[in-house]
Amino acid sequence: MADERLVAARVAALFNVSRPAYYATVANAGLLLLVLWEAFPAELLLTWFGTLVALTAVRIGLHRHLSAAPDPDPRRHEAYFALGALAAGALWSLPPLVFFPAGDPLLQLAVIFVVGGNIIGAAGVYAPSRAAFYSFGALPFLSVVLQLALQGGRTYYLLALMVAVFGAVMARVYRNLHDGILRTLRTRIENDDLVGRLAQSEAQLQGAIDGALHDVKELQQARDAYERVLVEEKLVLDLLPVGVAFMSDRVIVRCNRRLEQMLGYGPGELQGQSSRVLYPTEELWNEAGERYKLLAGGQVLDGEFKMRVKNGSPLWCRAVGRALNPDLPQASVVVTYSDTSERHAAERALRKSEAMYRNLVETSNDLIWAVDAAGLWTYLNPDAVRRIYGVQASEMIGRSATDLLAPEVSDRDQATFGRVLSGESIFDYETRHMRRDGSRVDLSFNAVPLRDAKGGVIGATGTARDITAEKTAAAALYENVEKLRLAVDAAELMYWEWDRDSDQLHWGRDPSSIVGTAGGTTTRWSEYLEMVHPEDRERYLNVVGTAWEQVGPCTNEYRVIRQDGRIAWLSSHAKTLADASGRVHRMIGVSQDITERKRQEEEARFLAYHDTLTGLPNRRLLDDRLRQAIFLAQRRDSRIALMVVDLDRFKQVNDALGHRAGDAVLREAAHRVAGCLRKADTLARHGGDEFVVVIPDLQQEGDCQVVAEKILRSLVPPFQVDGRDFVIGASIGVSLYPLDAGDGEALLRNADVAMYRAKELGRNNYRFYGR
């Protein structure tokens, strides 16, 4: 029976306190509708808002119908109420899931604040019913946590964790509030029962005493009855979940065991003591004396007081007292005490939570502000004001918000601020304000109008973020990028990025000037690899592969075959990059066309080892070829022939027509001699009109004679220069390796001796050194 009374009292409390909540939820939905009006389609927002309003109207009608029921069923009424709360909670779970603006942290925060405010408000409104609170709050809370977690990134993960922790704290706070209400309702019911029983006991006792005046036997019976009443009363008092004390002249006449346990005393220790032991300070004791006088005068005491446990620690209790017989000179009183320490702890936790959110606002890096309808500051978070403007927030409260505008934006932004105060929301609006020292600060503003219950604008609120450093950095970055671009263009470099995962090669500009490709700045790397010269492709892949493996820089010089068929030399310098997880998948670098440099290097290399007149190897290259031939002959145990060919009667050409004509004869003579040799043989100009022939892998001396005779025959036809014919011959000296000498210098010297011997014997012939 007691449980049914408690359920009825709890459901009655739920229906009484929930009336304003219906209108509050519609107001919150309207506020969220205004905040998100420009961020989402109006049809979608109005559908959600209309559904919520319709549901609220249905719940109000059901509330009135159930309240007016002639024979109410509390449990059935609570179930209907919880069902309505669940439907409302489902609708409030939609804003975090559907109306959660991507990339707009301010609107996201507004959605979370409105939804979270509804849940916090529900903790108080639905405190008498766990079913109603969890039906309403579970879905919106889970949708907020899920949406934050799905955003990705360390900041959103931390926000999701913080909301989850706050939800756990909120659940604990709500449970304490719910338990406190249950204890209060249960105490009220038990107090009513106790007072009734005490009154009944007193009446029985009074009747027994009156009967005893007429008869001793009846008096004894009355005494026995009284003692039974006291025993019964003590049993009842000890069973009560609250502490009970009977006092006379502020002295504890008797109390139940529950009060002794609450205050840490043993059985009977409090009986006969002054109630001074219940109060921790003299001041509280004196205040209790004033309340005792009121009690003795017939007033009812109902309040919450701090009391003292035997060990000195404080204990918060709710005390309800009344006088038993206010007409007596020293009236006796009875007081019940309920332990409310847990509720106080819950309230402290709630205040701590509120302080945390207040600190978040007041210590935010962004400026959080509010103005009234006249445009005067009404709130500014202190830390942000000091950091941005260099003044205290108190110095700005009451001033016009447009006083801080920089002159160059004053007219424009005054009009913008007027639009906000006329009811328009503005987001990510950049403006410029003046600091106390006269310097400028660039701000990004967000502003929404504040409206009263009738929809009239009563002010505005929003945030402002200092973007001065960002704008300065952006300008510096743009300048550096321009400098880098000019430097790259001046150096004729081509910037590129290669993403190995997607096989994409992104060029900094049109690469047609280097590789001849056209059609955009993005190509596939596999297609570009096909342009690398086949002879260089393996070396190119080895260098690139090493860079991927060792995560470092690489330098490469290779040829590419352009679309027009020409071959170009490229020099590339690149470096591999790793992402946040350490995985290497991107390479950046620059490439430069070095075709002309390669041509010049090749030309310089050719001139260093060849005669400029005839194009034949010079003495430097001859020495190298001869050294290589001797090295191979030593390994293969083969022979080498070396010939010195000196042109006869060449001086008459220079004397007759000059050196220009002599140069032509030398070129023609070199061409004729070269036609007599194999590709493996070497013909070099040794200086003046003298040539040297190196014949490696000589099989027999007769082969050498054949070559010498072919050279002599090739020089027999006349040389025609400027219309004149010149007949010249040659004297040839031959030395053999290893028969005549063991090194190149000795071979050359011996062949030269043989050549002079051939000249002495009549020219236009050849001689061997060893014959």
Side-chain angles (χ1 to χ4, degrees):
M1 185 62 185
D3 289 341
E4 294 300 321
R5 293 173 61 192
L6 179 61
V7 171
R10 182 167 55 77
V11 173
L14 173 65
F15 272 71
N16 287 335
V17 300
S18 62
R19 296 177 185 273
Y22 297 124
Y23 307 102
T25 190
V26 173
N28 286 339
L31 176 61
L32 187 59
L33 181 71
L34 293 177
V35 171
L36 300 175
W37 185 256
E38 295 184 359
F40 293 92
E43 297 81 1
L44 187 60
L45 291 171
L46 290 175
T47 299
W48 172 79
F49 181 74
T51 304
L52 185 64
V53 171
L55 175 63
T56 303
V58 171
R59 293 184 67 196
I60 292 174
L62 182 61
H63 184 110
R64 291 177 177 176
H65 172 72
L66 294 177
S67 299
D71 186 17
D73 183 350
R75 297 186 186 276
R76 183 168 58 87
H77 289 188
E78 183 180 19
Y80 287 153
F81 192 98
L83 183 61
L86 177 63
L91 286 178
W92 274 107
S93 67
L94 292 179
L97 294 176
V98 179
F99 308 128
F100 200 77
D104 194 332
L106 181 62
L107 283 183
Q108 294 174 1
L109 187 61
V111 171
I112 293 173
F113 273 5
V114 172
V115 174
N118 274 342
I119 297 174
I120 294 173
V125 174
Y126 300 153
S129 172
R130 286 188 177 183
F133 172 71
Y134 290 122
S135 297
F136 178 83
L139 291 178
F141 172 75
L142 292 177
S143 66
V144 171
V145 175
L146 177 63
Q147 184 61 263
L148 290 175
L150 290 177
Q151 294 301 307
R154 181 173 179 270
T155 301
Y156 281 101
Y157 288 148
L158 292 176
L159 283 175
L161 179 60
M162 184 179 73
V163 173
V165 171
F166 174 75
V169 173
M170 192 66 222
R172 178 64 181 175
V173 170
Y174 170 76
R175 189 173 68 181
N176 291 336
L177 289 175
H178 177 76
D179 292 343
I181 288 177
L182 290 183
R183 285 193 297 270
T184 300
L185 295 175
R186 191 178 289 112
T187 299
R188 184 177 299 170
I189 294 171
E190 292 171 347
N191 286 346
D192 292 339
D193 292 342
L194 177 62
V195 170
R197 293 190 62 181
L198 289 176
Q200 183 180 1
S201 298
E202 292 293 336
Q204 291 174 353
L205 180 60
Q206 186 65 40
I209 293 173
D210 291 341
L213 294 176
H214 301 281
D215 187 63
V216 175
K217 184 177 181 179
E218 291 181 359
L219 177 59
Q220 184 62 42
Q221 292 175 349
R223 286 179 180 176
D224 293 342
Y226 180 69
E227 289 176 359
R228 287 195 300 272
V229 169
L230 291 180
V231 172
E232 292 177 359
E233 185 179 82
K234 184 177 187 308
L235 290 174
V236 171
L237 291 177
D238 287 342
L239 292 174
L240 290 177
V242 297
V244 181
F246 294 89
M247 298 185 189
S248 178
D249 196 18
R250 304 189 72 184
V251 174
I252 301 174
V253 177
R254 55 196 174 96
C255 64
N256 67 345
R257 183 62 187 140
R258 174 57 182 158
L259 181 63
E260 294 171 338
Q261 292 172 343
M262 287 171 53
L263 300 177
Y265 289 91
E269 282 191 86
L270 282 176
Q271 188 168 341
Q273 290 199 45
S274 169
S275 60
R276 174 68 180 84
V277 299
L278 304 180
Y279 299 96
T281 65
E282 192 68 26
E283 181 180 358
L284 292 177
W285 162 250
N286 294 331
E287 292 179 3
E290 298 299 324
R291 292 193 296 271
Y292 188 87
K293 293 179 181 178
L294 297 177
L295 268 176
Q299 294 190 17
V300 177
L301 171 67
D302 189 351
E304 200 166 31
F305 311 103
K306 183 186 289 186
M307 304 182 70
R308 181 178 64 183
V309 182
K310 184 178 180 181
N311 61 12
S313 59
L315 177 70
W316 279 96
C317 290
R318 179 172 181 241
V320 178
R322 62 185 296 178
L324 293 177
N325 192 347
D327 296 331
L328 297 176
Q330 292 183 336
S332 295
V333 299
V334 60
V335 184
T336 61
Y337 298 93
S338 302
D339 186 350
T340 59
S341 298
E342 290 186 2
R343 184 171 61 79
H344 269 272
E347 290 176 351
R348 285 196 301 271
L350 183 59
R351 287 193 295 271
K352 182 179 179 181
S353 176
E354 292 174 349
M356 179 184 70
Y357 278 96
R358 183 170 59 254
N359 289 337
L360 285 175
V361 171
E362 293 183 352
T363 61
S364 171
N365 287 329
D366 292 348
L367 179 69
I368 300 176
W369 55 269
V371 296
D372 58 17
L376 305 181
W377 299 115
T378 58
Y379 176 79
L380 294 160
N381 52 331
D383 289 349
V385 170
R386 286 193 297 271
R387 184 173 56 256
I388 294 176
Y389 296 107
V391 298
Q392 298 296 325
S394 58
E395 300 180 48
M396 296 178 60
I397 299 299
R399 293 179 55 189
S400 174
T402 58
D403 289 347
L404 299 174
L405 293 174
E408 59 269 23
V409 299
S410 179
D411 293 340
R412 182 199 67 180
D413 288 1
Q414 283 188 7
T416 302
F417 218 83
R419 288 161 47 200
V420 175
L421 293 177
S422 65
E424 180 179 348
S425 297
I426 294 179
F427 300 98
D428 296 327
Y429 180 78
E430 292 189 6
T431 184
R432 183 171 296 155
H433 283 189
M434 300 287 294
R435 292 191 176 101
R436 166 172 281 182
D437 59 7
S439 61
R440 266 72 166 168
V441 55
D442 291 305
L443 299 173
S444 175
F445 255 80
N446 297 307
V448 293
L450 293 175
R451 301 179 183 273
D452 57 17
K454 297 181 179 179
V457 177
I458 59 174
T461 186
T463 63
R465 181 167 55 89
D466 185 352
I467 59 172
T468 306
E470 295 178 16
K471 295 181 75 68
T472 302
L477 178 61
Y478 177 79
E479 182 180 355
N480 290 335
V481 169
E482 283 298 302
K483 289 179 179 178
L484 180 59
R485 184 183 62 79
L486 292 174
V488 169
D489 291 345
E492 296 183 347
L493 298 174
M494 178 67 71
Y495 170 81
W496 51 266
E497 294 186 18
W498 171 21
D499 190 318
R500 187 165 60 171
D501 292 344
S502 63
D503 194 40
Q504 294 295 314
L505 186 63
H506 304 279
W507 299 91
R509 53 188 172 88
D510 183 8
S512 59
S513 61
I514 290 184
V515 296
T517 60
T521 58
T522 300
T523 59
R524 300 186 67 83
W525 178 81
S526 54
E527 296 175 357
Y528 175 75
L529 181 62
E530 294 297 322
M531 300 178 62
V532 178
H533 198 284
E535 296 178 3
D536 298 343
R537 192 172 297 159
E538 183 177 358
R539 175 171 52 84
Y540 171 81
L541 288 173
N542 289 337
V543 172
V544 171
T546 301
W548 284 119
E549 293 174 1
Q550 299 180 355
V551 192
C554 66
T555 300
N556 213 344
E557 289 188 0
Y558 57 94
R559 291 167 291 175
V560 294
I561 303 175
R562 296 163 50 96
Q563 285 189 341
D564 56 10
R566 291 190 295 120
I567 295 177
W569 275 93
L570 298 183
S571 175
S572 295
H573 301 273
K575 181 177 178 59
T576 54
L577 298 177
D579 58 18
S581 65
R583 189 174 67 90
V584 179
H585 68 93
R586 193 161 64 99
M587 179 182 289
I588 64 172
V590 292
S591 296
Q592 185 179 25
D593 188 345
I594 58 171
T595 305
E596 180 61 22
R597 191 191 80 189
K598 283 289 186 180
R599 186 192 65 77
Q600 292 176 357
E601 290 176 356
E602 188 65 29
E603 183 178 345
R605 187 180 301 108
F606 181 85
L607 292 177
Y609 292 96
H610 292 79
D611 176 51
T612 57
L613 177 62
T614 62
L616 296 176
N618 57 15
R619 290 185 181 183
R620 191 176 186 183
L621 183 55
L622 173 64
D623 292 341
D624 182 69
R625 295 274 181 89
L626 184 57
R627 187 164 48 251
Q628 293 294 330
I630 292 174
F631 175 73
L632 290 175
Q634 289 173 346
R635 292 184 59 187
R636 300 174 182 176
D637 194 21
S638 60
R639 292 179 292 177
I640 301 172
L642 187 143
M643 300 180 180
V644 175
V645 181
D646 187 79
L647 299 180
D648 297 333
R649 295 180 295 277
F650 177 72
K651 187 175 182 298
Q652 65 181 358
V653 178
N654 284 336
D655 293 343
L657 299 178
H659 291 286
R660 184 167 169 271
D663 291 344
V665 171
L666 286 174
R667 286 193 292 270
E668 177 65 21
H671 178 70
R672 293 184 185 184
V673 173
C676 302
L677 303 177
R678 302 172 303 177
K679 289 185 178 181
D681 301 335
T682 297
L683 173 62
R685 184 184 179 194
H686 200 241
D689 57 353
E690 188 175 276
F691 300 90
V692 175
V693 177
V694 179
I695 304 174
D697 293 328
L698 186 67
Q699 300 299 320
Q700 53 187 357
E701 293 184 11
D703 294 340
C704 182
Q705 293 176 350
V706 172
V707 174
E709 291 173 356
K710 286 176 66 177
I711 292 174
L712 292 176
R713 284 197 301 270
S714 70
L715 297 176
V716 170
F719 290 82
Q720 294 184 350
V721 182
D722 291 342
R724 295 182 59 178
D725 292 340
F726 294 91
V727 178
I728 62 176
S731 299
I732 302 175
V734 183
S735 65
L736 302 174
Y737 172 88
L739 182 63
D740 297 332
D743 60 70
E745 185 178 353
L747 274 176
L748 189 59
R749 184 171 60 251
N750 293 343
D752 196 55
V753 171
M755 181 270 294
Y756 279 108
R757 188 187 303 161
K759 280 187 179 291
E760 292 173 356
L761 294 177
R763 301 188 180 187
N764 200 33
N765 59 22
Y766 62 92
R767 288 289 180 271
F768 285 85
Y769 175 76
R771 296 180 186 176

